[in-house]
Every structure is written in structure tokens, then in C-alpha cells.
Amino acid sequence: MTAEAGAWADVLVRHQLLHTAVLAPTGQWLVQHHPDAPVRVLAGATAMVDLAAEIQHRIRTTRNHAR
């Protein structure tokens, strides 16, 4: 699960959907949406994958409303 979360974090940062996503030694993920946004602490790999799903849902919903 950690590898999957890491892959999603890389994709989200690469596509500029997150400013940063860092895996902490504790297994928590530190994410920041924009450079000036507060850092959000995610409990673990599952929370990171859930965040990726939320972002995907938001993107798809926005695209469907734009049509």
C-alpha cells in the first residue's frame, strides 16, 4: 500500500494537483496543496490513496459540469 500511495503522490505532484507530498518516517504523509497553504498531515498510505481518489472525483465532476 505504501508503494501505491507513493506512486499516487508522485502523479499528483507531477501534474501540479498537489504542491508537495512527503512520506514521513512515521508513515504519515505531509501534503500541501499550494506553496502558501498549510501542511496537511495524512494518517498513512490509505489516507494518501483516499486523497488521490477525492482529487480525481473533483476533477471528473468539474469536467462533467463544464460540458
Side-chain angles (χ1 to χ4, degrees):
M1 184 58 110
T2 301
E4 181 181 2
W8 276 113
D10 288 345
V11 167
L12 294 172
V13 171
R14 189 175 330 118
H15 289 279
Q16 299 178 348
L17 298 167
L18 286 178
H19 173 67
T20 192
V22 177
L23 177 60
T26 60
Q28 296 173 313
W29 282 89
L30 309 175
V31 298
Q32 193 175 26
H33 287 276
H34 305 284
D36 58 343
V39 174
R40 185 172 163 193
V41 179
L42 303 179
T46 301
M48 183 68 222
V49 173
D50 289 346
L51 176 62
E54 288 174 24
I55 291 171
Q56 282 185 316
H57 178 74
R58 184 177 28 133
I59 290 168
R60 288 182 180 140
T61 301
T62 303
R63 285 182 185 163
N64 288 340
H65 288 295
R67 290 182 183 175

